[in-house]
Amino acid sequence: MSDFPTPPPAPAPHRWGRWALLSLGLLVLAALGWLKWGLDPWLRGKLEKAVATQTHGQYALHVAGLHTELLARSLHLRGVALRPATEQVADTLPRLTARLACLDLSGVGLLALLRGRTAPIDSLTLDSLRLDVAALARRPGPHPTPPSYQQRPLRLGYLALRHASGSFGPANAPTGQLREAEVSARDLLITTAGAADTQRLAFAAGWRAVLRQPAGKLGGHTLTARLVDFSSDRQFFGLDSLRIAPPALGQGKPGAVRISFTLPGLRVRGLRAAAWQHLHRLRADSALLTTPALAFKPPAQAPPPLWKLLRPLFNQADVRQLAIRDGYLGVVGVGEKPAVRQLFGVARGLRIDSAAGQPGSRRVLYARSWVGHTGRITATFQPPVYLASIEHALLNTDEKALRLTGLALRPTLSAAQLNRRSGYQTTLLRILIPELRAEGFNFDQLSDDSHLQIARVVAERPYLETRSDGRGPINKSPSSMTPENMRRLRAHLDVRRLDLRGGTIAAVYRSARTPLPGTFVINRLNATLRNVSNDPRRMSQAHPLTGEATGYLQNQCRAEIHLTTSLLDPQGRQHLWGTFGPAPLSLLNSVTTPTRLITFKSGRLQRIVFDERLDRQRVSGPVEATYTDLKIDFLGYKNGEVKKTFLNRMKSGLVNGLVIRDQNPRPGGRFVVGQMSSRRELQFSTFTAWRQGLLCGLLQSVGVPDKLAQHFSQSSDPTPLPPAGTR
């Protein structure tokens, strides 16, 4: 064994350990040095390169400063800018620029991030972001990728966006702008589960946003607001100083609706924003509109129902209570120019969807009930002839009640001016109704199919004045003021009872003979009509319209009248009967003297009983007039005054002696019954036909021959229109 060489001694183990520790220390120092001085530049370059790669070099990202704090698990960016790197950007990418002053990311779960799990992040804060989007992508990319939350799931405890602003559209003419925004969110679960969670809104458990001075354009209209406030935790949405301005004259789509709208304040409470996102259903406890003012020009074509117009926003809206405080609604661009001022209303159980807009939904304008009142309501009727107004309106759909006060229809022209404008003789109206009440108003039916169904209507102290000028041709077109015209109404009218209390009817007529107007007044008029309907289910010959009225002629002669007619009778048959009480015949002088140049010198009426029947061809029926000491005088008009002349005296004597019988019954006891035998002139209203028939019968009863009585009672020969400038 001594022949074998002795092996060398083994090296000492502690030398290799020192070299290993030294190497490891150097590696750690190098890693720490790189982490301190090399990580931030590497990450910054990585971010900038990633943007260039993802956009194929069409966008450039510049980061002025990047700082990481590994122990604090935080990342801080400063001076971030994103802008297009080329003149043209592919149509699969939006064209935008973005500038961000600060980005602070803290509490990053690095281990979970490296393992590909849902990475927790404590907070993300972005300060002073400016985003300008010139155009959106016009088509999707050729290689669609999964959403980012599926690729890199995150859980963010808190998100804050401060002092943000931006614009949308070309830089020289943006279609949307935002001066400043403050946005925050808590507990964002940016995962597939977070996207599907119906209790979350856009991944977050709660959002808070305040937008200042947003502005935009929609359909040619300009929209601006001072402040938008939203909080999903408080279930609140607020809007201040909203304004919608229409396009300038000559701009906008021809025939489209034009809207001018201001809304100083909107407050929505109990808003379930998550349900809006996931179920496309808008739900809220209450909405309050303060001093809204809407003026719009209707479109050339009727718009679709409201629920269709709002379909892009939601499939269904449910608001427990909608309140409107001191609103204004006006329609412009039409001759009628209707407007409602000081509108206060509360709607309960508001639902907007296709089902709520269908007949049978038992809703009025999509709501279960409405309670409201207004100030002055105005419109122009038969523009520009009449100004119509209502001082106050009160409505309660639960109580089926409607009350209107201060109703007025006032002409803007004189009767002569109206004749010249129309080209023929036309009656001018003035109507005043201090109060009009509707009881048992079926608002559901009105909302469903525009059919008007009311149990009772009461008009208190109505005043009707008619003014007409006898100069001009007679209108050959059929009058619309006839009962049978109710057949032509597209909507059904059904009023079970109509009451007029304490009314007055005044007639003023200027004949072609003199410029002096004749007047006749019916005072203390009380009338009741039953079954005022054009509904075939309610109106027939077996169930006609019936009515009765009492009043005083010239406040001296009591009259009682009864009526029955079917409003759906194509023959227009009517039955009118009644009585006139004691009165001096001189009460007629206020109308006969200036218009016919005839005056009742004497005469006392004891009673008139008439039974009038009329259709579209004839007016007929008996008139029994009991009177004594009847004498008339014929007059002349010269130099602006009515006076007797020698020829008129002779004519009066002949007529009183040979034609007019001074009493009925006659001296021998024979009672003469006059006959209403008059042609029905369809160009005149039903009221004119009634008057013509009565006048014909009265003339016959006093001794006027039949042909002459018919001639006097029917329309006179046409005359030239009033000269220009005549009032």
Side-chain angles (χ1 to χ4, degrees):
M1 295 179 60
S2 62
D3 294 335
F4 290 94
T6 303
H14 64 278
R15 292 181 179 178
W16 289 104
R18 285 198 301 269
W19 281 108
L21 289 175
L22 179 61
S23 299
L24 181 60
L26 291 175
L27 288 175
V28 171
L29 289 175
L32 290 175
W34 183 84
L35 289 176
K36 179 161 182 68
W37 291 287
L39 177 61
D40 292 352
W42 179 82
L43 282 178
R44 185 173 62 184
K46 189 73 173 176
L47 288 174
E48 293 175 345
K49 185 177 180 180
V51 169
T53 302
Q54 290 290 332
T55 63
H56 303 284
Q58 297 183 81
Y59 273 92
L61 175 69
H62 175 71
V63 180
L66 185 151
H67 178 61
T68 57
E69 297 180 22
L70 294 178
L71 295 179
R73 297 179 298 149
S74 63
L75 174 68
H76 308 280
L77 300 179
R78 298 293 182 268
V80 181
L82 176 68
R83 58 177 59 89
T86 61
E87 289 293 332
Q88 297 293 330
V89 176
D91 56 5
T92 57
L93 294 174
R95 185 169 186 84
L96 58 84
T97 59
R99 296 184 300 275
L100 178 64
C102 303
L103 183 150
D104 296 308
L105 189 68
S106 64
V108 181
L110 295 175
L111 186 60
L113 185 63
L114 294 174
R115 292 179 176 179
R117 298 177 181 175
T118 300
I121 301 176
D122 290 344
S123 68
L124 172 62
T125 302
L126 298 93
D127 198 344
S128 301
L129 171 66
R130 174 72 190 189
L131 177 64
D132 296 299
V133 181
L136 297 175
R138 293 191 295 273
R139 64 184 181 89
H143 304 292
T145 59
S148 59
Y149 66 83
Q150 293 182 359
Q151 302 179 53
R152 287 176 291 276
L154 300 172
R155 183 150 201 163
L156 179 60
Y158 179 74
L159 169 67
L161 175 63
R162 299 168 182 160
H163 309 298
S165 61
S167 67
F168 177 78
N172 56 348
T175 58
Q177 290 180 300
L178 178 62
R179 182 172 181 178
E180 186 178 6
E182 305 285 338
V183 181
S184 62
R186 62 176 181 83
D187 189 16
L188 286 95
L189 183 59
I190 309 176
T191 66
T192 302
D197 190 345
T198 59
Q199 303 302 312
R200 292 177 176 270
L201 175 64
F203 302 102
W207 282 92
R208 175 82 165 90
V210 177
L211 312 181
R212 293 181 175 85
Q213 296 187 3
K217 292 185 177 180
L218 179 65
H221 291 70
T222 302
L223 290 75
T224 60
R226 188 180 67 85
L227 183 70
V228 178
D229 189 0
F230 169 72
S231 172
S232 63
D233 287 335
R234 294 190 294 125
Q235 298 184 336
F236 173 80
F237 176 81
L239 184 62
D240 288 345
S241 303
L242 172 66
R243 184 175 184 269
I244 302 177
L249 292 177
Q251 298 182 0
K253 184 179 178 181
V257 64
R258 298 174 67 90
I259 295 174
S260 177
F261 181 61
T262 59
L263 180 61
L266 168 66
R267 299 292 182 268
V268 180
R269 303 186 186 279
L271 177 64
R272 282 73 157 177
W276 192 353
Q277 174 193 343
H278 295 282
L279 304 178
H280 210 52
R281 178 182 179 186
L282 175 62
R283 298 177 59 197
D285 292 337
S286 67
L288 172 62
L289 287 75
T290 303
T291 323
L294 171 63
F296 70 95
K297 180 182 178 181
Q301 296 182 348
L306 180 63
W307 61 269
K308 280 190 176 181
L309 289 175
L310 299 178
R311 177 61 67 86
L313 298 178
F314 48 74
N315 293 331
Q316 181 181 345
D318 285 286
V319 182
R320 292 182 183 178
Q321 178 173 296
L322 169 67
I324 301 172
R325 181 182 297 168
D326 195 14
Y328 170 86
L329 175 63
V331 182
V332 298
V334 296
E336 290 76 9
K337 300 178 183 177
V340 183
R341 299 164 182 82
Q342 294 176 298
L343 174 61
F344 293 81
V346 175
R348 293 183 174 86
L350 182 69
R351 168 171 289 187
I352 301 176
D353 61 7
S354 58
Q358 298 299 319
S361 63
R362 300 188 64 82
R363 292 178 179 272
V364 180
L365 297 178
Y366 297 96
R368 288 295 184 191
S369 67
W370 282 91
V371 177
H373 60 91
T374 73
R376 186 174 174 81
I377 304 173
T378 58
T380 303
F381 183 66
Q382 292 183 357
V385 180
Y386 295 103
L387 297 179
S389 62
I390 300 172
E391 294 303 318
H392 298 282
L394 298 93
L395 173 144
N396 189 320
T397 61
D398 281 339
E399 297 181 0
K400 298 183 177 181
L402 175 66
R403 180 171 174 260
L404 308 176
T405 62
L407 286 81
L409 183 71
R410 296 182 174 91
T412 61
L413 306 175
S414 67
Q417 291 171 330
L418 184 58
N419 282 7
R420 286 199 306 274
R421 184 177 186 274
S422 304
Y424 47 79
Q425 295 183 35
T426 305
T427 300
L428 197 68
L429 300 177
R430 182 187 299 271
I431 301 174
L432 303 174
I433 305 177
E435 181 177 347
L436 183 69
R437 299 191 306 274
E439 304 165 1
F441 198 129
N442 192 334
F443 291 100
D444 296 342
Q445 188 79 8
L446 179 65
S447 179
D448 285 348
D449 47 26
S450 300
H451 291 180
L452 192 63
Q453 188 177 37
I454 306 175
R456 186 185 183 192
V457 174
V458 180
E460 298 286 356
R461 305 183 307 281
Y463 175 85
L464 169 64
E465 179 184 283
T466 64
R467 287 183 176 267
S468 51
D469 192 306
R471 294 172 293 175
I474 304 298
N475 183 14
K476 300 302 181 182
S477 301
S479 171
S480 60
M481 298 292 291
T482 58
E484 57 266 28
N485 274 323
M486 295 285 288
R487 300 171 63 245
R488 297 188 176 94
L489 291 179
R490 299 179 61 182
H492 285 166
L493 171 67
D494 184 17
V495 179
R496 298 287 82 209
R497 176 168 174 162
L498 172 61
D499 290 325
L500 281 72
R501 296 289 177 258
T504 300
I505 298 177
V508 181
Y509 175 70
R510 195 268 196 201
S511 73
R513 297 184 179 186
T514 76
L516 305 177
T519 60
F520 192 78
V521 180
I522 301 176
N523 313 91
R524 292 181 275 173
L525 175 64
N526 294 296
T528 296
L529 298 177
R530 299 177 180 84
N531 194 28
V532 184
S533 176
N534 65 346
D535 188 342
R537 296 170 297 179
R538 296 188 178 273
M539 177 57 61
S540 65
Q541 292 287 352
H543 298 89
L545 177 149
T546 61
E548 61 270 349
T550 61
Y552 285 80
L553 310 183
Q554 301 284 67
N555 216 16
Q556 300 178 64
C557 175
R558 187 180 187 277
E560 181 176 337
I561 298 175
H562 300 265
L563 170 68
T564 178
T565 181
S566 172
L567 300 182
L568 298 181
D569 183 6
Q571 299 301 320
R573 288 170 288 194
Q574 303 171 45
H575 184 196
L576 187 74
W577 71 99
T579 61
F580 295 92
L585 289 173
S586 60
L587 63 83
L588 300 176
N589 287 340
S590 63
V591 64
T592 60
T593 299
T595 62
R596 295 285 186 175
L597 295 177
I598 297 174
T599 185
F600 287 89
K601 181 179 180 181
S602 64
R604 182 75 186 180
L605 176 69
Q606 280 78 46
R607 181 179 175 86
I608 295 178
V609 179
F610 69 95
D611 191 346
E612 185 175 19
R613 295 180 183 271
L614 65 158
D615 55 26
R616 293 179 61 84
Q617 286 77 39
R618 304 288 306 171
V619 180
S620 61
V623 175
E624 301 176 3
T626 304
Y627 58 89
T628 58
D629 194 25
L630 173 60
K631 287 184 174 58
I632 64 172
D633 279 341
F634 289 91
L635 306 172
Y637 178 80
K638 190 175 182 180
N639 298 328
E641 62 177 330
V642 176
K643 57 184 177 180
K644 295 181 181 180
T645 65
F646 176 74
L647 292 177
N648 292 136
R649 292 177 189 274
M650 291 182 61
K651 183 179 179 180
S652 299
L654 290 173
V655 170
N656 286 324
L658 300 177
V659 179
I660 299 297
R661 298 294 180 257
D662 63 350
Q663 66 182 50
N664 199 20
R666 303 296 190 248
R670 183 173 63 91
F671 190 87
V672 177
V673 177
Q675 292 296 324
M676 292 179 278
S677 181
S678 179
R679 183 180 70 253
R680 175 72 186 277
E681 298 174 302
L682 296 178
Q683 64 268 34
F684 296 108
S685 70
T686 291
F687 307 105
T688 301
W690 294 350
R691 177 181 57 79
Q692 287 179 350
L694 283 171
L695 179 58
C696 179
L698 283 172
L699 291 175
Q700 282 194 15
S701 68
V702 301
V704 177
D706 294 353
K707 295 295 184 181
L708 193 57
Q710 293 177 22
H711 174 73
F712 280 136
S713 64
Q714 293 175 175
S715 59
S716 59
D717 295 331
T719 63
L721 286 167
T726 304
R727 290 291 299 176

